Amino acid sequence: KIEKNRERILSGNFNCIPWGFPRLEKIIPGIEQSNYYLMSASSKVGKTQLTDILFLYNAYDFYRKNRDKIRLKIFYFSLEMSPQAKMMQAISHSLFKEHGIVYDTRKLRSASTPLPEDVLKKIRLMEKDFEDFEVVVEFITDIKNPYGIYKKIKSHYDANGKWHKKKKIYGGEEHMVNDYYEPNDPDEYVIGIVDHASLLKVEKGMKGKKDAIDKLSSDYFIELRNNYGFIPAFVQQQANSQEDLEHIKMDAMSPTFAGLADSKDTQRDLNVGIGIYSPARYKVSTFMGYDIDYFGDNIRFLEIMGDREGGAGSVVPLLFLGAVNYFTELPHPDDKPNMRKVYQYLDKIRAA
């Protein structure tokens, strides 16, 4: 495996899907097969938006530019938003990426004023791109229970690979059992986004939400990751207690494994835990050298909550434009020329 992966890099192939964030990639290079990622934040901070930029939009953009070298399939289990709403977000995001236009989903729906015709024409020109997007990405809202999610993903592997068998003797008899799974396409990345854990349906025989989360994480995700190379991207909210007055006084508002809502046991299963934090939410004036009073809701801090291979505690500051689900890394606060460009850019966006 070590030799093969080395040769792949030397020959111009890939062993991961890069995040699209250079500073983050120095800590964790990107999305790897057979890795389990958990995303966490307090309510309404942007955990879904960050999940989408990392595991949906940027992953798809990388695939689109390198489809001769990798394949991609994303199962998006959206437990609180409809497929139509998710596609509307994707259109808003693409308008910004392709044309620099800030149109949130409310404006796209012409909630109070008609969508300008020139914007509509730009959307029409992207129609074929979105048809391709929907081949790769499947938004699923009718499956919300752990076994249903497992069955949906496993059926993809059953249809796109085979198990090699081996002989095993037990009970005094010889039996053929599964040895290892071989995919038809070793370069396919299968990502399963579940947003979010607390909305999972409790199945018969389960005592509550914790049982549902633990079943999906500890049993199903681990089996799919270890046997098939599956990539879970599990969104799990922080408990409300993480935002109480005592935590604010201690300046301990960044997401933690101890703060995971409904079940803390998921931390034992994952490879990488990623949190996101908004200082402006707690009236913080400066944070890590950044002027939070100026940035307000337009700044977030990505923190590696945990990583089996190192990197835990690393923090990456991000510019955040919530209306179009866009993140980009910020320069160091002491980098005055580049910070000045950020201020000018954000002032322009705010004035539009």
Side-chain angles (χ1 to χ4, degrees):
K1 180 69 173 176
I2 291 171
E3 290 176 343
K4 180 181 176 182
N5 280 14
R6 178 178 182 273
E7 288 302 319
R8 286 175 59 82
I9 296 295
L10 291 173
S11 62
N13 287 310
F14 306 101
N15 293 321
C16 71
I17 297 176
W19 301 114
F21 295 155
R23 201 183 310 179
L24 178 59
E25 288 167 9
K26 290 180 180 179
I27 306 164
I28 300 171
I31 303 168
E32 294 187 69
Q33 294 173 326
S34 300
N35 270 232
Y36 176 174
Y37 302 88
L38 184 141
M39 311 291 291
S40 189
S42 296
S43 176
K44 308 302 180 185
V45 169
K47 57 187 177 297
T48 296
Q49 287 92 331
L50 185 63
T51 301
D52 285 356
I53 204 75
L54 294 177
F55 295 94
L56 181 62
Y57 301 135
N58 286 2
Y60 175 75
D61 285 346
F62 183 79
Y63 151 77
R64 189 172 59 171
K65 296 170 185 174
N66 299 280
R67 64 178 74 207
D68 60 321
K69 295 178 180 177
I70 72 163
R71 262 64 60 198
L72 180 65
K73 182 63 182 179
I74 300 175
F75 294 101
Y76 199 123
F77 297 90
S78 180
L79 306 186
E80 60 181 342
M81 293 182 67
S82 69
Q84 184 185 54
K86 295 301 297 185
M87 282 302 299
M88 196 84 74
Q89 287 182 339
I91 292 170
S92 175
H93 177 78
S94 294
L95 277 172
F96 180 77
K97 284 288 293 289
E98 298 296 326
H99 303 286
I101 301 172
V102 178
Y103 266 81
D104 62 23
T105 54
R106 187 174 286 114
K107 289 180 180 177
L108 289 182
R109 297 196 305 269
S110 300
S112 58
T113 57
L115 184 72
E117 188 173 349
D118 65 316
V119 177
L120 180 59
K121 286 180 179 178
K122 287 179 171 62
I123 295 172
R124 285 293 186 192
L125 289 172
M126 294 190 292
E127 191 167 1
K128 290 188 180 299
D129 293 333
F130 283 109
E131 288 174 356
D132 181 65
F133 179 79
E134 287 192 290
V135 171
V136 173
V137 182
E138 185 176 348
F139 291 112
I140 304 161
T141 57
D142 60 339
I143 301 174
K144 299 184 178 183
N145 63 308
Y147 180 71
I149 293 170
Y150 166 77
K151 184 178 178 182
K152 176 70 176 179
I153 296 165
K154 188 174 181 300
S155 67
H156 176 82
Y157 286 108
D158 290 342
N160 292 279
K162 64 179 180 180
W163 275 95
H164 289 266
K165 304 286 186 176
K166 66 178 180 180
K167 294 178 182 179
K168 187 172 183 180
I169 297 176
Y170 55 90
E173 296 183 0
E174 186 178 275
H175 299 268
M176 297 300 293
V177 298
N178 287 339
D179 187 10
Y180 66 93
Y181 176 83
E182 182 182 12
N184 295 340
D185 183 358
D187 294 317
E188 182 184 48
Y189 286 71
V190 181
I191 300 173
I193 301 170
V194 178
D195 182 25
H196 57 84
S198 295
L199 297 176
L200 283 170
K201 282 193 173 180
V202 177
E203 295 176 351
K204 186 178 180 180
M206 294 179 176
K207 296 179 180 178
K209 194 72 66 180
K210 184 180 186 306
D211 284 358
I213 293 171
D214 291 347
K215 185 68 177 178
L216 180 60
S217 180
S218 300
D219 290 350
Y220 296 145
F221 278 170
I222 296 305
E223 177 190 333
L224 292 167
R225 179 193 67 184
N226 293 352
N227 290 341
Y228 300 97
F230 176 60
I231 305 162
F234 201 19
V235 183
Q236 188 174 0
Q237 193 162 296
Q238 291 282 292
N240 291 336
S241 61
Q242 289 302 104
E243 300 185 276
D244 62 22
L245 185 59
E246 196 60 35
H247 279 82
I248 295 172
K249 286 179 180 178
M250 294 189 297
D251 194 24
M253 298 310 302
S254 56
T256 65
F257 287 135
L260 291 172
D262 297 308
S263 176
K264 298 176 182 20
D265 292 341
T266 50
Q267 63 181 293
R268 300 183 305 198
D269 306 325
L270 55 86
N271 295 84
V272 178
I274 299 175
I276 185 171
Y277 167 58
S278 173
R281 182 162 175 161
Y282 309 104
K283 312 301 181 185
V284 176
S285 295
T286 59
F287 188 75
M288 292 184 65
Y290 293 91
D291 184 351
I292 305 303
D293 286 336
Y294 169 79
F295 277 103
D297 194 47
N298 293 123
I299 193 169
R300 295 291 189 272
F301 292 84
L302 181 158
E303 182 170 347
I304 306 301
M305 298 163 55
D307 177 10
R308 288 188 177 181
E309 298 176 78
S314 299
V315 178
V316 179
L318 301 171
L319 179 69
F320 174 54
L321 303 178
V324 291
N325 205 352
Y326 179 76
F327 293 84
T328 190
E329 289 182 343
L330 282 167
H332 191 277
D334 293 335
D335 183 352
K336 303 302 182 184
N338 282 316
M339 283 302 299
R340 191 176 301 113
K341 291 178 182 178
V342 172
Y343 294 142
Q344 292 170 348
Y345 175 71
L346 193 51
D347 287 343
K348 181 181 176 181
I349 292 291
R350 288 171 171 175

